Amino acid sequence: AQSVTQLGSHVSVSEGALVLLRCNYSSSVPPYLFWYVQYPNQGLQLLLKYTSAATLVKGINGFEAEFKKSETSFHLTKPSAHMSDAAEYFCAVNFGNEKLTFGTGTRLTIIP
Amino acid sequence: EAGVTQSPTHLIKTRGQQATLRCSPISGHTSVYWYQQALGLGLQFLLWYDEGEERNRGNFPPRFSGRQFPNYSSELNVNALELEDSALYLCASSGDRLFMNTEAFFGQGTRLTVV
């Protein structure tokens, strides 16, 4: 079955520390992968997407993600967290069925 | 350029009533997607409209329905409201069907509260 799993519904990091948000997928076909961010009381904004041109994808606001086929993962990272990064992050996958399937989200809290 | 717009921002209804939510896609986008974001459940795919036709629907009962108008705007109707229908309803549009890595652009959502 095709699915998306985000490990950790809540993640807290100190300001300036590394941010690591995990996303794994289950699929028998090559998926297309996205990370979206949702700030309070707002819709979703695209952070980055995997285009198959490179396994390391750079997005907005200093975020990047690495596609690892062998691990079926697409983890999101940022070297140094800022207070403004506090939000909910969603991993999304297009399994080739013309819709996006979302993970359950990870709420990121930044500790001053 | 205007993004995806949704109205109303908030909607309060009584159990058993009907709710109508509206979405205007980005100009030139023909595909509209509806998602339900209930507390703790992430985003669940509801409906996809393209070129005025319903192309796909998620695992929701028939009382969730909608349509797409000739100008590509869309309406989501929820009949016989139940308390568990309380959620943020997000609309997204794309310039093409969601092939491969086509991006979907989201509106700010309609917060539906059923009391």
Side-chain angles (χ1 to χ4, degrees):
Chain A
Q2 298 169 329
S3 63
V4 184
T5 302
Q6 289 185 243
L7 290 177
S9 58
H10 291 85
V11 170
S12 296
V13 301
S14 298
E15 191 175 13
L18 171 72
V19 175
L20 170 60
L21 305 181
R22 300 178 186 274
C23 175
N24 288 86
Y25 65 89
S26 174
S27 175
S28 59
V29 299
Y32 298 92
L33 302 150
F34 306 78
W35 275 99
Y36 282 85
V37 60
Q38 186 178 34
Y39 297 104
N41 301 314
Q42 294 190 24
L44 275 70
Q45 178 184 3
L46 181 70
L47 272 178
L48 49 81
K49 62 181 180 182
Y50 172 62
T51 64
S52 77
T55 56
L56 183 63
V57 182
K58 293 188 184 299
I60 62 172
N61 301 338
F63 284 92
E64 60 183 35
E66 185 172 8
F67 173 62
K68 292 187 176 181
K69 185 178 179 180
S70 61
E71 299 178 6
T72 60
S73 69
F74 191 56
H75 300 333
L76 181 71
T77 61
K78 182 174 181 178
S80 177
H82 294 166
M83 295 301 296
S84 60
D85 295 327
E88 188 150 20
Y89 293 80
F90 292 92
C91 179
V93 182
N94 185 338
F95 291 109
N97 54 0
E98 298 180 298
K99 66 179 183 181
L100 289 176
T101 299
F102 285 84
T104 51
T106 298
R107 183 168 300 279
L108 177 64
T109 300
I110 310 299
I111 303 167
Chain B
E1 180 183 310
V4 178
T5 58
Q6 292 187 244
S7 63
T9 306
H10 293 85
L11 189 58
I12 300 175
K13 291 287 186 178
T14 303
R15 190 170 50 183
Q17 286 187 316
Q18 177 193 27
T20 298
L21 289 64
R22 297 179 177 83
C23 172
S24 293
I26 290 173
S27 178
H29 285 189
T30 61
S31 275
V32 171
Y33 301 81
W34 287 95
Y35 283 84
Q36 182 194 66
Q37 186 179 14
L39 196 61
L41 295 179
L43 279 80
Q44 304 295 316
F45 170 71
L46 261 169
L47 289 159
W48 168 34
Y49 291 95
D50 182 66
E51 297 285 358
E53 299 286 332
E54 181 181 304
R55 302 295 184 180
N56 199 0
R57 67 179 293 128
N59 188 26
F60 281 84
R63 58 190 186 82
F64 286 84
S65 65
R67 54 181 171 168
Q68 187 177 35
F69 299 98
N71 65 355
Y72 303 116
S73 66
S74 177
E75 199 172 83
L76 173 69
N77 294 295
V78 187
N79 293 319
L81 284 165
E82 300 178 1
L83 295 178
E84 51 265 36
D85 296 333
S86 295
L88 181 67
Y89 289 83
L90 290 166
C91 171
S93 74
S94 66
D96 200 349
R97 298 182 173 197
L98 285 181
F99 300 124
M100 299 164 51
N101 59 7
T102 304
E103 178 182 351
F105 295 82
F106 284 81
Q108 295 201 347
T110 293
R111 172 78 58 189
L112 173 64
T113 302
V114 183
V115 297

Short mmCIF file of all heavy atoms in Angstrom, two decimals, chain A residues 3-6 34 36 44 90-93 95 99-105, chain B residues 35 41-45 104 106:
data_model
loop_
_atom_site.label_atom_id
_atom_site.label_comp_id
_atom_site.label_asym_id
_atom_site.label_seq_id
_atom_site.Cartn_x
_atom_site.Cartn_y
_atom_site.Cartn_z
N SER A 3 1.86 4.85 1.18
CA SER A 3 1.63 5.65 2.38
C SER A 3 2.79 6.59 2.63
O SER A 3 3.88 6.42 2.07
CB SER A 3 1.44 4.74 3.60
OG SER A 3 2.61 3.99 3.85
N VAL A 4 2.53 7.57 3.48
CA VAL A 4 3.53 8.55 3.89
C VAL A 4 3.54 8.59 5.40
O VAL A 4 2.47 8.72 6.02
CB VAL A 4 3.20 9.96 3.35
CG1 VAL A 4 4.30 10.93 3.70
CG2 VAL A 4 2.95 9.92 1.86
N THR A 5 4.72 8.50 5.98
CA THR A 5 4.84 8.51 7.44
C THR A 5 5.79 9.60 7.88
O THR A 5 6.92 9.69 7.39
CB THR A 5 5.37 7.15 7.95
OG1 THR A 5 4.49 6.11 7.52
CG2 THR A 5 5.43 7.15 9.47
N GLN A 6 5.33 10.42 8.79
CA GLN A 6 6.20 11.42 9.40
C GLN A 6 6.41 11.01 10.85
O GLN A 6 5.44 10.92 11.62
CB GLN A 6 5.57 12.81 9.32
CG GLN A 6 5.55 13.38 7.91
CD GLN A 6 5.04 14.81 7.88
OE1 GLN A 6 4.01 15.09 7.27
NE2 GLN A 6 5.74 15.72 8.53
N PHE A 34 7.41 16.14 -1.84
CA PHE A 34 7.29 17.57 -1.52
C PHE A 34 7.35 17.77 -0.01
O PHE A 34 6.95 16.89 0.76
CB PHE A 34 5.93 18.12 -2.01
CG PHE A 34 5.63 17.88 -3.46
CD1 PHE A 34 5.21 16.64 -3.91
CD2 PHE A 34 5.75 18.92 -4.37
CE1 PHE A 34 4.92 16.41 -5.25
CE2 PHE A 34 5.45 18.71 -5.72
CZ PHE A 34 5.04 17.46 -6.14
N TYR A 36 5.80 20.81 2.52
CA TYR A 36 5.03 22.04 2.67
C TYR A 36 5.13 22.52 4.11
O TYR A 36 5.28 21.73 5.04
CB TYR A 36 3.55 21.80 2.34
CG TYR A 36 3.21 21.73 0.87
CD1 TYR A 36 3.34 20.54 0.16
CD2 TYR A 36 2.74 22.86 0.20
CE1 TYR A 36 3.01 20.48 -1.19
CE2 TYR A 36 2.41 22.80 -1.15
CZ TYR A 36 2.54 21.61 -1.83
OH TYR A 36 2.21 21.56 -3.16
N LEU A 44 -1.07 26.17 3.16
CA LEU A 44 0.22 25.50 2.99
C LEU A 44 1.06 26.22 1.94
O LEU A 44 0.56 26.66 0.91
CB LEU A 44 0.02 24.05 2.56
CG LEU A 44 -0.21 23.04 3.67
CD1 LEU A 44 -1.57 23.26 4.30
CD2 LEU A 44 -0.11 21.62 3.12
N PHE A 90 4.60 19.50 6.57
CA PHE A 90 3.97 18.33 5.98
C PHE A 90 4.80 17.79 4.84
O PHE A 90 5.19 18.53 3.93
CB PHE A 90 2.57 18.68 5.45
CG PHE A 90 1.57 19.01 6.50
CD1 PHE A 90 1.38 20.32 6.91
CD2 PHE A 90 0.81 18.01 7.08
CE1 PHE A 90 0.45 20.63 7.88
CE2 PHE A 90 -0.13 18.31 8.05
CZ PHE A 90 -0.31 19.63 8.46
N CYS A 91 5.03 16.50 4.88
CA CYS A 91 5.62 15.80 3.76
C CYS A 91 4.47 15.32 2.87
O CYS A 91 3.44 14.86 3.38
CB CYS A 91 6.42 14.61 4.28
SG CYS A 91 7.19 13.60 3.01
N ALA A 92 4.61 15.47 1.58
CA ALA A 92 3.56 15.05 0.66
C ALA A 92 4.16 14.27 -0.49
O ALA A 92 5.29 14.54 -0.92
CB ALA A 92 2.80 16.27 0.12
N VAL A 93 3.42 13.31 -0.98
CA VAL A 93 3.91 12.44 -2.04
C VAL A 93 2.86 12.31 -3.14
O VAL A 93 1.67 12.16 -2.85
CB VAL A 93 4.23 11.03 -1.48
CG1 VAL A 93 4.79 10.15 -2.59
CG2 VAL A 93 5.22 11.11 -0.33
N PHE A 95 2.03 9.71 -5.80
CA PHE A 95 2.35 8.34 -6.18
C PHE A 95 2.01 8.05 -7.64
O PHE A 95 1.92 6.89 -8.04
CB PHE A 95 1.59 7.36 -5.26
CG PHE A 95 2.07 7.36 -3.84
CD1 PHE A 95 1.28 7.91 -2.83
CD2 PHE A 95 3.29 6.81 -3.50
CE1 PHE A 95 1.71 7.91 -1.51
CE2 PHE A 95 3.74 6.81 -2.18
CZ PHE A 95 2.95 7.35 -1.18
N LYS A 99 -2.81 13.04 -7.39
CA LYS A 99 -3.20 13.74 -6.18
C LYS A 99 -2.03 13.67 -5.22
O LYS A 99 -1.11 12.87 -5.40
CB LYS A 99 -4.44 13.12 -5.54
CG LYS A 99 -4.23 11.72 -5.01
CD LYS A 99 -5.49 11.17 -4.36
CE LYS A 99 -5.25 9.80 -3.78
NZ LYS A 99 -6.48 9.23 -3.17
N LEU A 100 -2.05 14.54 -4.23
CA LEU A 100 -1.01 14.52 -3.20
C LEU A 100 -1.51 13.78 -1.97
O LEU A 100 -2.63 14.01 -1.51
CB LEU A 100 -0.63 15.95 -2.81
CG LEU A 100 0.16 16.76 -3.83
CD1 LEU A 100 0.38 18.18 -3.33
CD2 LEU A 100 1.49 16.09 -4.13
N THR A 101 -0.68 12.88 -1.47
CA THR A 101 -0.96 12.19 -0.22
C THR A 101 -0.05 12.78 0.84
O THR A 101 1.18 12.82 0.65
CB THR A 101 -0.72 10.69 -0.36
OG1 THR A 101 -1.59 10.16 -1.38
CG2 THR A 101 -1.00 9.97 0.95
N PHE A 102 -0.63 13.24 1.93
CA PHE A 102 0.12 13.94 2.96
C PHE A 102 0.40 13.06 4.17
O PHE A 102 -0.40 12.19 4.53
CB PHE A 102 -0.65 15.18 3.43
CG PHE A 102 -0.64 16.32 2.46
CD1 PHE A 102 -1.54 16.37 1.42
CD2 PHE A 102 0.29 17.34 2.60
CE1 PHE A 102 -1.52 17.42 0.51
CE2 PHE A 102 0.30 18.40 1.69
CZ PHE A 102 -0.60 18.43 0.65
N GLY A 103 1.53 13.34 4.81
CA GLY A 103 1.77 12.78 6.12
C GLY A 103 0.93 13.54 7.14
O GLY A 103 0.26 14.51 6.81
N THR A 104 0.98 13.08 8.38
CA THR A 104 0.14 13.68 9.41
C THR A 104 0.73 14.97 9.98
O THR A 104 0.11 15.60 10.82
CB THR A 104 -0.11 12.69 10.55
OG1 THR A 104 1.14 12.16 10.99
CG2 THR A 104 -1.01 11.55 10.09
N GLY A 105 1.91 15.33 9.53
CA GLY A 105 2.48 16.61 9.93
C GLY A 105 3.36 16.53 11.16
O GLY A 105 3.19 15.65 12.02
N TYR B 35 -9.17 19.44 0.34
CA TYR B 35 -8.63 18.61 1.40
C TYR B 35 -9.30 18.99 2.71
O TYR B 35 -9.64 20.15 2.95
CB TYR B 35 -7.12 18.81 1.55
CG TYR B 35 -6.29 18.11 0.50
CD1 TYR B 35 -6.06 18.71 -0.74
CD2 TYR B 35 -5.73 16.86 0.74
CE1 TYR B 35 -5.30 18.08 -1.70
CE2 TYR B 35 -4.96 16.22 -0.23
CZ TYR B 35 -4.76 16.84 -1.44
OH TYR B 35 -4.01 16.21 -2.39
N LEU B 41 -5.28 14.61 12.25
CA LEU B 41 -5.41 13.65 11.14
C LEU B 41 -4.67 14.06 9.88
O LEU B 41 -4.77 13.40 8.85
CB LEU B 41 -6.89 13.43 10.80
CG LEU B 41 -7.73 12.77 11.88
CD1 LEU B 41 -9.17 12.63 11.42
CD2 LEU B 41 -7.16 11.39 12.23
N GLY B 42 -3.97 15.17 9.92
CA GLY B 42 -3.27 15.61 8.73
C GLY B 42 -4.26 16.03 7.66
O GLY B 42 -5.42 16.34 7.94
N LEU B 43 -3.82 16.05 6.42
CA LEU B 43 -4.67 16.45 5.31
C LEU B 43 -5.21 15.21 4.61
O LEU B 43 -4.45 14.37 4.15
CB LEU B 43 -3.90 17.30 4.30
CG LEU B 43 -3.72 18.76 4.63
CD1 LEU B 43 -2.58 18.96 5.62
CD2 LEU B 43 -3.46 19.57 3.37
N GLN B 44 -6.52 15.14 4.52
CA GLN B 44 -7.17 14.03 3.84
C GLN B 44 -7.76 14.53 2.52
O GLN B 44 -8.52 15.50 2.49
CB GLN B 44 -8.29 13.46 4.72
CG GLN B 44 -7.84 13.02 6.11
CD GLN B 44 -6.87 11.86 6.06
OE1 GLN B 44 -7.08 10.90 5.31
NE2 GLN B 44 -5.81 11.93 6.84
N PHE B 45 -7.44 13.82 1.44
CA PHE B 45 -7.93 14.20 0.11
C PHE B 45 -9.42 13.99 0.02
O PHE B 45 -9.94 12.90 0.34
CB PHE B 45 -7.21 13.36 -0.94
CG PHE B 45 -7.79 13.48 -2.32
CD1 PHE B 45 -7.63 14.64 -3.06
CD2 PHE B 45 -8.49 12.42 -2.88
CE1 PHE B 45 -8.16 14.75 -4.33
CE2 PHE B 45 -9.02 12.52 -4.16
CZ PHE B 45 -8.86 13.69 -4.88
N ALA B 104 1.11 22.09 -6.28
CA ALA B 104 -0.24 22.55 -5.95
C ALA B 104 -0.11 23.77 -5.05
O ALA B 104 0.70 23.79 -4.14
CB ALA B 104 -1.02 21.44 -5.24
N PHE B 106 -1.99 26.32 -2.39
CA PHE B 106 -3.08 26.22 -1.43
C PHE B 106 -3.62 27.59 -1.03
O PHE B 106 -2.88 28.57 -0.94
CB PHE B 106 -2.61 25.49 -0.17
CG PHE B 106 -2.50 24.01 -0.36
CD1 PHE B 106 -1.40 23.44 -0.95
CD2 PHE B 106 -3.54 23.18 0.07
CE1 PHE B 106 -1.31 22.08 -1.15
CE2 PHE B 106 -3.45 21.81 -0.11
CZ PHE B 106 -2.35 21.25 -0.72
#
